[in-house]
């Protein structure tokens, strides 16, 4: 995650100008030693570019990068705010979840921190009336959409950089500040992630573990969530997040039936993937049969098709 010093440097360079480390130390108030450390980090992840001036002097400027563009938008649309002073890594992680009203306890549990930690991260925003409280819930005010976009860009960039250090072809399919779902394009990258700590096969590639094996067209998907168990409910959601076509829906329903996954548990998981209505439709089909309705958000298998699939895979 970009540190406060990193944000301060991006802020100082966001106009596109070049600057030396001495310039940046003077403007941001950070020591030259810390500036050099941050320069190397930001150069490594592609947020800055560097050239050498006279006497091999280092000069840097911001790169053409989604994170930089998101910050420029934030700065231009809300120029009255000193964002470099206001934002911290913790604040950006919490802001990720404020696209809709959420309870502090819910955010704390998702991030694996205390409620006090969430309140501390939100405090600078609350003090400046930047949040829209709704009872015990908080969300980012509508006019602060650029802040949400910047938080999302930073978090996505962090996951992409981590994945591509191991698997250069990796693409982010879904993420939050602690977790990410990726695809890869080559067998070499698949092998690299299989050998890497904290990465697990998910989606259809995981079904074999539950006695259901499907042909994979391409490489399996991978899940990054350190110190967390990959549950069957997560596997169902990953399958649908990667592809919500009718065959994937059928396979997800088959896994629900095979493992008797509790609806409430799966619905809680599906909330984070915006799949609540899809999951509700799937359970309705499993319990009451398929209804032909334009309001159903996915294409469900017919009863005969699903019974044939269950028979094929021996799911009682």
């Amino acid at each position: 995650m970009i540190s406060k010093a990193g944000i301060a440097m991006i802020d100082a360079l966001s106009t596109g100008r070049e600057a030396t480390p001495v310039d940046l130390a003077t403007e941001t108030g950070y020591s030259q030693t810390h500036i050099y450390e941050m320069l190397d980090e930001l150069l490594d992840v592609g947020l800055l570019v560097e050239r050498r001036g006279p006497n091999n002097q280092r000069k840097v400027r911001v790169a053409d990068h989604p994170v930089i563009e998101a910050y420029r938008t934030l700065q231009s649309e809300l120029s009255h705010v000193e964002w470099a002073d206001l934002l911290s890594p913790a604040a950006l992680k919490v802001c990720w979840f404020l696209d809709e009203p959420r309870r502090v306890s819910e955010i704390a549990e998702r991030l694996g921190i205390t409620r006090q930690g969430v309140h501390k991260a939100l405090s600078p925003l609350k003090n400046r009336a930047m949040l829209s409280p709704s009872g015990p819930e908080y969300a980012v005010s509508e006019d602060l959409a650029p802040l949400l976009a910047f938080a999302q860009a930073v978090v996505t960039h962090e996951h992409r950089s981590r994945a591509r250090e191991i698997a250069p072809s990796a693409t982010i399919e879904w993420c939050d500040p602690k977790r990410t779902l990726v695809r890869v394009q080559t067998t070499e990258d698949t092998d690299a992630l299989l050998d890497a700590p904290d990465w697990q096969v998910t989606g259809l590639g995981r079904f074999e573990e539950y006695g259901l094996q499907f042909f994979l067209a391409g490489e399996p998907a991978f899940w990054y969530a350190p110190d967390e168990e990959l549950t069957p409910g997560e596997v169902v959601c990953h399958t649908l997040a990667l592809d919500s076509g009718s065959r994937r829906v059928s396979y997800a329903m088959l896994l629900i039936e095979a493992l008797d996954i509790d609806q409430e548990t799966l619905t809680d998981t599906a909330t984070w993937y915006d799949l609540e209505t899809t999951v509700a439709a799937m359970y309705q089909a499993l319990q009451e049969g398929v209804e032909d309705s334009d309001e159903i958000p996915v294409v469900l298998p017919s009863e005969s098709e699903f019974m044939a699939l269950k028979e094929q895979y021996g799911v009682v």
Side-chain angles (χ1 to χ4, degrees):
M1 183 64 66
I2 300 174
S3 69
K4 285 186 70 68
I7 294 174
M9 290 169 61
I10 290 171
D11 183 85
L13 296 168
S14 62
T15 59
R17 60 182 276 255
E18 283 188 329
T20 67
V22 174
D23 294 334
L24 291 170
T26 300
E27 293 178 33
T28 64
Y30 290 96
S31 69
Q32 289 189 38
T33 299
H34 193 42
I35 290 294
Y36 279 114
E37 292 173 354
M38 287 307 308
L39 279 180
D40 290 338
E41 289 185 21
L42 296 177
L43 286 165
D44 285 345
V45 297
L47 296 181
L48 299 184
V49 292
E50 180 184 61
R51 73 176 182 90
R52 296 285 176 164
N55 301 318
N56 205 33
Q57 185 181 50
R58 298 178 70 177
K59 292 189 174 183
V60 295
R61 59 180 174 81
V62 289
D64 182 10
H65 192 283
V67 169
I68 302 300
E69 291 307 307
Y71 187 78
R72 280 174 163 163
T73 299
L74 175 63
Q75 194 179 50
S76 64
E77 295 191 15
L78 299 160
S79 58
H80 61 287
V81 179
E82 294 293 335
W83 293 109
D85 295 332
L86 186 64
L87 296 178
S88 67
L92 289 173
K93 289 178 181 179
V94 172
C95 281
W96 172 276
F97 296 105
L98 299 183
D99 57 329
E100 61 182 77
R102 296 192 191 276
R103 291 176 177 268
V104 166
S105 58
E106 184 180 19
I107 297 171
E109 181 178 0
R110 192 69 180 170
L111 286 174
I113 62 177
T114 64
R115 285 179 292 178
Q116 289 79 5
V118 175
H119 280 297
K120 183 178 179 180
L122 288 177
S123 180
L125 302 177
K126 289 191 292 185
N127 291 342
R128 290 164 176 80
M130 291 182 176
L131 300 180
S132 298
S134 177
E137 301 176 331
Y138 289 96
V140 170
S141 303
E142 288 186 13
D143 58 345
L144 289 177
L147 172 57
L148 182 62
F150 179 59
Q152 292 169 340
V154 169
V155 168
T156 302
H157 167 69
E158 180 183 11
H159 284 302
R160 185 183 296 112
S161 298
R162 179 187 297 109
R164 288 184 178 172
E165 283 182 3
I166 305 169
S169 71
T171 57
I172 305 299
E173 300 297 324
W174 179 94
C175 66
D176 75 10
K178 286 190 64 178
R179 309 156 185 84
T180 187
L181 175 66
V182 306
R183 293 183 195 264
V184 295
Q185 306 301 319
T186 70
T187 55
E188 292 81 4
D189 284 353
T190 292
D191 291 341
L193 288 177
L194 285 171
D195 291 337
D198 299 326
W199 290 90
Q200 303 178 70
V201 171
T202 190
L204 282 187
R206 193 77 179 190
F207 278 42
E208 183 179 2
E209 181 176 310
Y210 309 114
L212 304 170
Q213 186 169 3
F214 298 102
F215 171 74
L216 292 179
E219 303 301 317
F222 286 87
W223 177 239
Y224 175 85
D227 305 319
E228 290 187 11
E229 178 187 1
L230 177 56
T231 65
E234 294 280 5
V235 174
V236 168
C237 291
H238 297 164
T239 301
L240 297 171
L242 291 162
D243 182 350
S244 58
S246 59
R247 291 191 64 82
R248 292 296 182 102
V249 171
S250 299
Y251 296 155
M253 290 172 62
L254 188 67
L255 186 60
I256 290 171
E257 283 278 87
L259 302 182
D260 193 22
I261 300 174
D262 175 69
Q263 182 174 356
E264 182 178 355
T265 300
L266 183 54
T267 300
D268 288 344
T269 302
T271 299
W272 300 103
Y273 300 88
D274 293 326
L275 290 169
E276 305 101 306
T277 57
T278 297
V279 166
M282 291 163 58
Y283 274 98
Q284 182 177 353
L286 290 170
Q287 296 165 0
E288 304 172 15
V290 178
E291 292 185 4
D292 187 12
S293 171
D294 293 336
E295 296 180 3
I296 296 177
V298 292
V299 178
L300 299 168
S302 67
E303 186 173 351
S304 60
E305 289 172 337
F306 189 62
M307 290 301 294
L309 187 64
K310 289 178 63 174
E311 184 176 353
Q312 179 183 351
Y313 286 94
V315 176
V316 178

